[in-house]
Amino acid sequence: MTYTCACCDEVHDDLPDLSFDRPSYAADVPDDEFEARVKLNEDLCVVDDEFYFIRGVLKIPIHENEQDLGFGVWVSQKKENFETNLENYDTPDIGPFFGWLSNEFKFKGEPTLSLKTMAHFQGYGQRPLIELDESDHPLSVAQRNGISLDEAWKIVHEYLGR
């Protein structure tokens, strides 16, 4: 799909997903302490052997479009649920598990850190789908009701620094 963007008047191909490489809690650990305190790979993070996070995909439907706007986000997990995920990574037969959205960013001017979520495990090497608790937060409303393609591109440009 190509699209002429209302934000920059350029022609774009597919809408990119936006992602965070670590939970905000891990990003706050000083560089000189990071290696000793944080265990991090592309999908899992443990801070101070006490705080557990998994990476998932939060999707926002785009009106009249097959593609969603995807956010690669981190959510907190209880230690027991984190370990259940580790032991059953290739099966969708676990969860869903509660967690707190663990990335700080603004969505339509509102902070997102600590929104309530449910992680729905897909198994087979796929990251869990992250569903926000129903609320009046703009990100939750967008996930439930969808957004226009123009809104999606505006969000992408905002996060990619255009």
Side-chain angles (χ1 to χ4, degrees):
M1 153 185 98
T2 60
Y3 171 77
T4 302
C5 182
C7 295
C8 67
D9 291 324
E10 291 184 26
V11 176
H12 295 289
D13 291 322
D14 291 330
L15 192 68
D17 287 338
L18 305 171
S19 66
F20 299 89
D21 65 351
R22 62 189 68 182
S24 292
Y25 195 79
D28 292 340
V29 173
D31 289 342
D32 61 336
E33 300 174 18
F34 194 86
E35 190 173 320
R37 295 179 53 198
V38 179
K39 297 176 187 118
L40 173 69
N41 67 26
E42 290 183 354
D43 297 305
L44 306 169
C45 181
V46 179
V47 179
D48 296 328
D49 292 321
E50 184 178 353
F51 303 99
Y52 300 87
F53 306 91
I54 59 170
R55 191 174 191 184
V57 180
L58 188 154
K59 293 183 177 184
I60 299 176
I62 299 172
H63 302 153
E64 300 175 17
N65 201 305
E66 292 179 18
Q67 185 179 9
D68 296 318
L69 176 60
F71 286 87
V73 296
W74 294 83
V75 296
S76 66
Q77 293 287 279
K78 289 186 348 185
K79 181 178 183 179
E80 298 82 16
N81 294 345
F82 182 87
E83 290 173 347
T84 298
N85 176 43
L86 280 177
E87 295 163 4
N88 299 282
Y89 188 72
D90 285 332
T91 180
D93 299 328
I94 60 170
F97 294 143
F98 174 81
W100 299 98
L101 185 61
S102 298
N103 291 110
E104 175 64 54
F105 62 100
K106 299 267 189 201
F107 189 86
K108 296 190 178 184
E110 296 293 323
T112 60
L113 190 64
S114 298
L115 292 175
K116 294 178 181 180
T117 69
M118 293 299 283
H120 296 269
F121 295 87
Q122 303 183 89
Y124 312 110
Q126 294 184 351
R127 291 187 174 122
L129 294 175
I130 306 302
E131 177 185 21
L132 293 170
D133 187 55
E134 190 170 319
S135 73
D136 62 354
H137 189 283
L139 187 58
S140 177
V141 172
Q143 189 177 48
R144 281 193 317 275
N145 299 337
I147 59 176
S148 71
L149 188 56
D150 282 335
E151 288 176 286
W153 276 111
K154 183 176 180 182
I155 291 163
V156 166
H157 284 296
E158 180 179 329
Y159 290 100
L160 296 181
R162 281 199 129 216

